Amino acid sequence: MNKLTFHYFHLMPWPHLPEDFDEKYDSAWVTLPNALYDPVKGHALYERYFNEIERADRLGWDGVIVNEHHQNAYGTMPSPNIMAAVLTQRVKRAKIGIIGNALPLHEDPLRVAEEIAMLDVISGGRIISGFVRGTGMEYFSYNVNPTTSRERMDEAHDLIIQAWTRPGPFAFEGEHYRYRYVNIWPRPIQQPPPIWLPGLASRETIDFAAAHKYPYMTVFMSMEQRERAYDLYRRLAEEKYGYEAKPEQLGFCTPVIIAPTDDEAMRIGEKYAMWLFNKGLKVRPEFFLPPGYMSPQSFKGALQSGIFSVLDRKATFKELVETGVIIAGSPATIIEKLSYHTEVLHAGMFVSTGHVGEIPDELVLQQQELLAKEVMPHFREQLVAQQL
Amino acid sequence: MTRPETSALDEKTERTVHVQGIATHIFEAGDSTNPPLVYLHGTFLGNLWLDYHKALAQHFHVFAPDTPGYGLTERPDWMRDMSDYILYFRDLLNVLGLQTTHIVGHSLGGWMAAEIAVWYPERVNKLILSNAAGIRVKGAPIADLFAMNWEEIVALNFDDPSAAKPLMRTEVNIDHLVQYYKEQMTLATLAWNPSYDPKLQRRLAQLICPTLVVWGANERVIPPIYGTVLQETIPNAKLIMLAGTGHMPMFEKHEEWAGVITQFLQENV
């Protein structure tokens, strides 16, 4: 078995922010005027992004991934299932991950169950289905009460799994969602499609993932936070749910900057990667954490552990590399850093965000080729077998 | 010779009463032979005993509970919407032995007061709605407090920032932040979406108790038009716009605010 699976996460940012963005706008989310979006440029950008994902498929990534975000410049995919539908026609081999649909934001999760089932049938059973709650910002954009987010998440999850796996028709009797007839046509090929849960280290999400043996994917965490999250997952798996967590249950989503040399990688990173943190993730703290999005207990824990540092836009690229939020370097350096994840952390799923901000396509191509040709083989089955 | 203001009547008592299993923190003050008055505070304004409470206690037997989710009263998880609060307040009145009472409600507390008068009209002598939430006036949205930080909230609520002094902390620790977060959760539970009761305005048109609507003319949280609409909706309601203040007239103009309320409550109808 491969020591590490590789997944190509495209955030599809809107990189063309105005020169005066930093001074003039306090958030790339919720309130950033949509006059700043140019649909004609948007057309070309989507095309370029789809081509990039197609290339990742051809170069050997195990999966390609899209996600759902609303009313922002960070990621222009309000409907991830539309993006996945496009990918079923362009991506011939890799799995197609939707990480994920933001369940509590939707009044009708049965629609999500139906769409994923359609995609799974269309793609021949290649869909990975992530479930997320959506960011705090999206509770403003969709005007969904954040205090019921967790309950709606749990209920929508149960409904969707049942809709996929339980013979219909049957009734679903939830507190937030009620259906008299659950009986989806078509049904998915996979029973059920694999579920991943990305998270920002909240205890509830880790517990939920561990309980269901779903892979937990850390998002933009420092190494310290990631280790703590994995420890918690493993401990819960063992002590609370009675099993040993496998490497394929632990994933990490990390921006990656790779270049022929470490110096070059640092230069490219300095120039392009900080868009993600300084602009794309520029958020009013009030939007980031609406009341009830976290339990008061998790909120307290987060204050104590400093997890809100993702909002700390004062960190430099170098610091983000040092703390492990970003992985950067030459192929040899990247192999070393990924080996730490596989050998020490026993994490088995690497989700790279390759495209950041305004990075030009030739550099994206260079990064894709270096990762595919010089890094991936080190973690593939055959090579491991040869070494033994 | 006038009686000194610092008489025994100024003294408040503070206690915990149990209502529907909720340990409710409550201030009580004023001569118990005076007419009872229940004061329902606005969001983030629990566990306060300030000049405006004292001014009311000069003439009334004042009860000022911390609404569940604010101050020292916890909100149990089952308390999810306004109907839970209305039934809670009905039982609070029972526990306090108040068959009838005046009710003064400010902001979110004004919304609660209006609902109590709608559902339990026989329990309310006179109703005071100060800068009250609860209805919607299309085209004049209530400010989105969820999108603001504490400094912005204070700046919007107060015309005179120095009047906000009782609400400002010199030192903020994690427990304070968690308490504020929990109070925001209570507000979100009641008022994230919708931020009003779609049926309240129609019901207020049937109200039978004498009602005074008090507003700050410079109000920027719940625009003055809300005061006007409440006055036009509630039969025979009176509207007083206080000049030189906004959402927090009881902080900024406490004598004037308490004065117009006292006068209204004491006049014969």
Side-chain angles (χ1 to χ4, degrees), chain B residues 95-169:
Chain B
V95 168
L96 296 175
L98 302 175
Q99 193 47 46
T100 64
T101 181
H102 298 313
I103 300 186
V104 180
H106 168 244
S107 196
L108 177 65
W111 178 358
M112 293 172 176
E115 297 273 5
I116 295 167
V118 163
W119 289 99
Y120 298 100
E122 71 282 3
R123 309 295 294 269
V124 183
N125 281 333
K126 291 186 184 179
L127 175 67
I128 310 289
L129 302 177
S130 177
N131 307 70
I135 64 168
R136 173 179 66 175
V137 178
K138 281 191 180 179
I142 292 176
D144 185 3
L145 297 185
F146 299 114
M148 296 176 202
N149 62 35
W150 180 247
E151 287 69 30
E152 290 165 333
I153 288 174
V154 168
L156 196 76
N157 274 268
F158 287 86
D159 267 24
D160 170 13
S162 71
K165 208 176 163 198
L167 304 179
M168 306 310 274
R169 295 183 188 280

Side-chain angles (χ1 to χ4, degrees), chain A residues 78-97:
Chain A
S79 171
N81 300 340
I82 287 181
M83 305 318 270
V86 172
L87 296 182
T88 61
Q89 304 307 297
R90 288 186 172 229
V91 170
K92 301 302 177 195
R93 184 196 48 81
K95 292 196 182 301
I96 298 165

Side-chain angles (χ1 to χ4, degrees), chain A residues 340-367:
Chain A
Y340 181 79
H341 285 79
T342 54
E343 304 305 321
V344 180
L345 303 185
H346 303 290
M349 292 198 317
F350 175 38
V351 179
S352 58
T353 61
H355 185 104
V356 283
E358 296 173 288
I359 190 167
D361 197 47
E362 62 269 20
L363 282 180
V364 174
L365 176 61
Q366 173 179 284
Q367 298 211 72

Side-chain angles (χ1 to χ4, degrees), chain A residues 251-267:
Chain A
F252 51 107
C253 175
T254 314
V256 176
I257 303 293
I258 181 170
T261 66
D262 285 346
D263 284 350
E264 256 178 277
M266 293 305 283
R267 264 203 309 280

Side-chain angles (χ1 to χ4, degrees), chain A residues 122-177:
Chain A
I122 293 168
S123 67
R126 286 188 290 145
I127 297 298
I128 298 167
S129 176
F131 291 146
V132 298
R133 294 198 293 135
T135 65
M137 295 77 96
E138 277 133 350
Y139 288 76
F140 287 88
S141 288
Y142 263 40
N143 210 16
V144 169
N145 194 323
T147 62
T148 57
S149 163
R150 183 72 61 181
E151 292 173 9
R152 284 164 68 100
M153 175 77 181
D154 292 351
E155 242 181 55
H157 162 271
D158 292 351
L159 166 73
I160 292 169
I161 298 294
Q162 287 182 35
W164 284 343
T165 56
R166 188 176 152 188
F170 61 87
F172 184 83
E173 297 164 329
E175 301 305 315
H176 298 276
Y177 302 113

